[in-house]
Every structure is written in structure tokens, then in C-alpha cells.
Amino acid sequence: MRTARRLLAVPLLAALAAGCGIRATEVPTDFGAAPSRVRCSLSEPQLSTQASRGVPVQVFLLCGSSLVAVDRVVRVPESAADAKRRVLVAQGLLDQLAETPSAAEREAGYSTDVRGGMTVTGPGPRDPEDTLRLSTSPGALTSYALAQIVCTLSDSAAAEGDGSVILGGPAGEPLRRYACTGAVRSRPGSKEPPSSEVTEG
């Protein structure tokens, strides 16, 4: 008898379960818009001058508490000599760092701490040949801006390819060789680029 009751109960339970399904409601619900982008992730390269002739480069922007590389293009005359070319690339990189990130980049969480108006020149008469002198002393920059500049320049045609870059302020200021490390890229606000004093060339 118990078996028969169980068999009869199965269709009844199934019917009740079907009747307890979630039905559409006319009460509006709003849980906010779905996130359109993953933080610190861009769906496609953001080349601001993609159609222009130039040198493809990467610059390091801030995103969250880290430095993240994004694509850019820097215009450099093809006829420029190597020494001049290095300075032009370095200036182009500084300009790109100082630009306000695009709408897509801002939406993904990118920002920059580098301020506009900074210029760069090549070595002075007694500087090593791979020196880059900034119009603002590196020591006057925020730790974020210095990390952005060091990591961007050291990973570009403006450097000598050993992962470091020699920077100084206006003529007469001492020079230092800076390196971009994994610790700097992951914690630019608390970990300044390691540096060492550079003697005159």
C-alpha cells in the first residue's frame, strides 16, 4: 500500500513543482547596468593616431594600484638622425603620458599622473650619450609620475635596451640611472624606481 501511495504522490509533486516556477513579474527591478568592460582591460588597441605614420610604442598608465602598458603611436621624421630620433621618441612618449586617457581607457580605470608641458633634451656636453634631461627634475615628480616615465622610457627606443634609462633635470643637475622593475610596475605609489648615480661622461 505504501508503494502505491508513493507512486501516486510522484505525479502530484511534479505538478506542484511545475506550478511553483518563477513567473515574470510586473514590478520593475533595477540591479544596475552590467559592467561594460573588465577593469584594466581594453577590448581593442587604443591607438590615438592609428591611421597616421609613426612609431608604434607603449606607454605605462596607472590602473588600480599598478602600471599597465597601452598602445600608442609617436610621430618621428624618417630622416632624423639616431641621436635626434631618441629625443623625439622620448618627447612623444612624455606627451602621450600627459594626455588625458581616452573615454574607453577611463571607463576601464586608466589614469595618468604625468602633467603636460614637460620637455626632454639630449645629453649635455659632459653627459653620457644616452642621457635624457627633463625640464622638471625627476626628484620633483610624484612617485607615480616618475614610475610611469621611467618604465615607459626604459622600454622604448629612447633607451639603450638594457631596461634602464639615464635621467636628469635641467642642465647642471646630477644624473641617475633608473630601472623599471616588477615591483615598481605593481606598486608605483610605494616603490620608487631603483636608481644609481651616474658620473659624467
Side-chain angles (χ1 to χ4, degrees):
M1 181 66 71
R2 289 183 180 178
T3 302
R5 288 178 180 174
R6 288 176 183 173
L7 291 175
L8 289 172
V10 170
L12 180 60
L13 290 174
L16 289 173
C20 292
I22 298 176
R23 298 178 180 176
T25 176
E26 295 180 2
V27 179
T29 57
D30 183 9
F31 297 101
S36 57
R37 290 187 185 276
V38 178
R39 185 169 177 81
C40 302
S41 176
L42 297 170
S43 60
E44 59 186 21
Q46 299 295 311
L47 295 179
S48 58
T49 54
Q50 192 169 15
S52 305
R53 297 178 63 185
V55 179
V57 296
Q58 287 189 322
V59 300
F60 283 87
L61 298 182
L62 298 167
C63 196
S65 59
S66 304
L67 294 181
V68 181
V70 297
D71 295 318
R72 291 287 190 270
V73 168
V74 172
R75 292 185 178 183
V76 179
E78 295 181 0
S79 59
D82 288 345
K84 182 66 174 176
R85 185 181 182 85
R86 287 183 61 250
V87 175
L88 291 174
V89 169
Q91 184 63 62
L93 292 170
L94 286 180
D95 293 342
Q96 290 291 335
L97 284 171
E99 278 193 6
T100 301
S102 68
E105 289 167 345
R106 293 195 304 275
E107 185 181 351
Y110 290 85
S111 65
T112 184
D113 213 45
V114 178
R115 299 295 172 254
M118 192 183 311
T119 58
V120 60
T121 58
R126 303 175 67 179
D127 295 340
E129 64 179 6
D130 54 346
T131 297
L132 293 171
R133 285 193 173 274
L134 306 176
S135 59
T136 300
S137 174
L141 299 170
T142 66
S143 58
Y144 290 105
L146 181 60
Q148 284 185 261
I149 291 172
V150 167
C151 289
T152 296
L153 293 178
S154 65
D155 193 40
S156 74
E160 291 300 302
D162 64 350
S164 67
V165 60
I166 297 178
L167 295 178
E173 290 197 9
L175 301 172
R176 298 192 71 83
R177 182 181 292 276
Y178 294 88
C180 177
T181 64
V184 173
R185 288 191 293 269
S186 61
R187 299 189 305 277
S190 58
K191 190 70 175 179
E192 289 195 357
S195 64
S196 57
E197 187 178 355
V198 175
T199 57
E200 295 177 345

